Amino acid sequence: MRDRLWLLWAFIGAAATAGYFALPAHTLPRSLAYDAIGFVSALVMLAAARRNSRTRRLAWLLMAAGTAVWSGGDFVYTYYEYGLHAAPFPSFADVLYLSAYPLMIGGLFLLARDRGRGRAVIVDAAIVAIGAGLVLWTFVMQPIAQDASISGGTRLIALAYPAADVLLLAMVARLLVSGAARDPSVRLLVAALGLLLAADIAYSVVNAYTSYDGGLFDAGWLLSYALWAAAALHPAVRAPAGPPRPDSGRPRLVLLACSSLLAPAMLLVQGLQDPRAIEWQADGIGAGALFLLVVARMAGLVREVHTLAMRDELTGLANRRELEHRIRAALGTGAEVALIDLDDFKGINDRLGHGVGDRLLVAVGERLTAAVAPGGTVARLGGDEFAVLLSASPAALVTVLSEPFVIGPHHLLVRASVGVADCRGTDDPFEPLRRADVAMYAAKVTGGRHVRYTPELDARSSEQASLGAALRCALDEGQFFLVYQPIVALPSTRVAGVEALVRWRHPVHGLVSPADFVPVAEHNGLIVELGAWILREACTRMESWRRADDASAPAKMSVNVSARQLSEPDFAQVVATVLRETGLPASYLALEVTETAVFDSTVALDTLRAVKALGVRIALDDFGTGHSSLGLLRTAPVDILKVDKSFIDDLAVPGAQAAIVTALIDVSNHLGLTAIAEGVETPEQAERLVAMGYRFAQGYLFGRPTPDPDFAAPLALATAEPHP
């Protein structure tokens, strides 16, 4: 209901205005009704002003005070008219009226300054004010100034009204050209001021040539009161102003064009009336001032265009062109370029929308800017890629991005890969950026937070580029094959499942390590197609073992899935299609994912939930080495924990490692999860794991990965043993 108070008040104000005109003209009740509308509007504005922020509160308090003083002038004039039966001019009422203008103008000035402080806004407002002032001088102020029948004091006060209206108009113009009229409360305020100025100017023009005896102009003043108070009540008046966004559209251009043409228009009108009565001095001064302001505006426009050409539109940071200029100036110095790429930004856009993604980019730019020492440059190169030219350590950049970003209701944790290169040893401004890009790619591949460029990275980058091209050929020509490593049940060592692992037999270089080609496939996106091939091949093989009805065959096929695959919106559908086409029941398949792949990624978690809904089991690989392992057990649809080899290596030595391994089996048992110990290489490790309660293990002790595994168990089978 509170958010609708402005609408209720606007209706009351309109009804009160109609009621005013329903009263008999030239009577005390009608005059008091007029005064009451203004006074109550001032009280409403004063009450509403208290709810604003400090700057706006002062602005609205000044405007409310101005309205109250103006209303006081109305009461004084009513007293003169009906108490003393006189209508003196000037009088104390005029003192109050004129005193109200500085208060109103001061409030509008503060409000306009809060909405936009650019030089262009001030110049545009001055153009409008001078053009309007020239019109008022010609038709209102000049006849008053030349009227010898009134005293100098009276003439001065009479001239003060249109002069104050010009200043008021300048404030209105400043609000309009600053783009603040996008705010509903400001639109109401502008409408109120428009009615006030229209009534004031019309009254001044009529009084300059005849006399005003009440009527239509009263409606302008009364509705102005009502709308001004409605603007103060509108909920938008308390919303953050946001960054200044001057309105550079067609209405603004039309307004400026018309204002700048008013000087020649006045010459034309005066010339048509009486060429001898042309006010050459006033028109000349006005035309000259408008010309200079238009020249200043054009110069400002050129600067704005140049600035926009060097700035990123979304964040306001330097763009690539500006950064290259800065790097050119820094060549040969100790300055460094840091290239920053945000990880999983695509996932944020996909799950929360591009609006949140854009606000996150702005927040990242602001945080980087705050972290860079004076003289540094922060640029956005496009997408989620930023660059910083700095003289300090780049480690600070990683630190400032590690804190969560609060974007509306969302708390977003951003990971970034940072590549760093200096500006020495080259006269090409593009070279430091290229080097930083190479280092940033290395940071992504290695998983490091930031990597500094070295010449060796170029050679590695070239190799990886060649490797990326070769991967495409390898997939097309069938150079990949799968090997299978057994997962055994303890203590019998019966094969309970197998893990499918991809290998590449290059026709020239022989076997290529997955540690070399998988990161490259991740980077260039080929891992999606390769992963689909691995899944299909593994399911086909598992179905063939199942149909062979071999009692020693495994009951589970585990397939590794990358973070890139989980970010694909159709991954769950790919799994469903493979299961359907190969005929493998979903209960025979387990997908292994790393903690890093699903950490803080709602897209990945949603994908896993969709896969689990198919009946496929989910294994968390390398458990204990990621970001927030225990937290993932609450959020991820996990069935299996694969305890990382790093905890198993020193299992025989009493200490922290053994305690962690014990804790993990306890956690698994309490949560109803299956625990598999990875990297078991010695009988001592296996015996210790059995003593701790582990019932499944994997490692070289039980078999190395091979294309054609032998499932014959070395010990007697235990038919009651569970499956992972």
Side-chain angles (χ1 to χ4, degrees), residues 7 25 29 42 148 152 163 173 183 249 307 311 333 360 376 381 386 405 467 483 488 507 513 538 565 617 648 655 693:
L7 191 58
D183 185 332
T307 299
R311 292 285 154 184
T333 70
L360 175 61
L381 304 185
F386 293 81
F405 288 84
L467 195 61
V483 294
V488 303
S513 170
Q565 288 175 272
R617 304 189 78 192
I648 308 300

Side-chain angles (χ1 to χ4, degrees), residues 92-320:
F92 183 65
D94 295 295
V95 174
L96 293 176
Y97 288 139
L98 292 175
S99 298
Y101 277 106
L103 295 171
M104 294 177 177
I105 291 170
L108 289 170
F109 175 81
L110 290 177
L111 187 62
R113 188 179 63 175
D114 184 44
R115 299 288 179 154
R117 307 188 184 193
R119 181 182 299 178
V121 171
I122 296 174
V123 171
D124 290 351
I127 291 173
V128 174
I130 289 176
L134 188 59
V135 175
L136 284 176
W137 171 260
T138 301
F139 295 110
V140 178
M141 300 174 75
Q142 182 189 12
I144 295 174
Q146 294 177 347
D147 188 353
S149 65
I150 58 178
S151 66
T154 302
R155 188 182 299 118
L156 186 62
I157 291 177
L159 289 172
Y161 280 103
D165 283 334
V166 170
L167 293 177
L168 201 60
L169 180 61
M171 294 299 104
V172 175
R174 185 173 178 183
L175 275 174
L176 287 173
V177 299
S178 69
R182 298 182 182 91
D183 185 332
S185 67
V186 175
R187 286 200 292 268
L188 286 170
L189 177 59
V190 169
L193 290 167
L195 288 170
L196 173 64
L197 287 169
D200 276 1
I201 292 170
Y203 176 81
S204 297
V205 171
V206 169
N207 264 8
Y209 299 96
T210 178
S211 62
Y212 175 71
D213 194 29
L216 183 61
F217 301 162
D218 291 351
W221 286 310
L222 290 174
L223 290 176
S224 172
Y225 283 140
L227 291 178
W228 207 324
L233 288 171
H234 198 286
V237 81
R238 299 185 299 278
R245 292 173 53 194
D247 185 357
S248 55
R250 184 176 299 174
R252 182 180 187 180
L253 294 177
V254 170
L255 179 63
L256 294 177
C258 292
S259 298
S260 61
L261 291 174
L262 284 174
M266 291 302 98
L267 286 172
L268 179 62
V269 170
Q270 292 172 0
L272 291 175
Q273 290 179 342
D274 184 357
R276 295 169 299 178
I278 294 178
E279 284 288 323
W280 294 104
Q281 185 177 11
D283 291 340
I285 292 174
L290 287 172
F291 174 78
L292 292 176
L293 287 171
V294 169
V295 169
R297 187 66 183 91
M298 292 301 297
L301 182 60
V302 171
R303 284 193 298 271
E304 285 180 16
V305 171
H306 182 266
T307 299
L308 289 174
M310 296 293 184
R311 292 285 154 184
D312 173 61
E313 183 178 359
L314 174 64
T315 63
L317 299 173
N319 60 13
R320 182 182 293 272

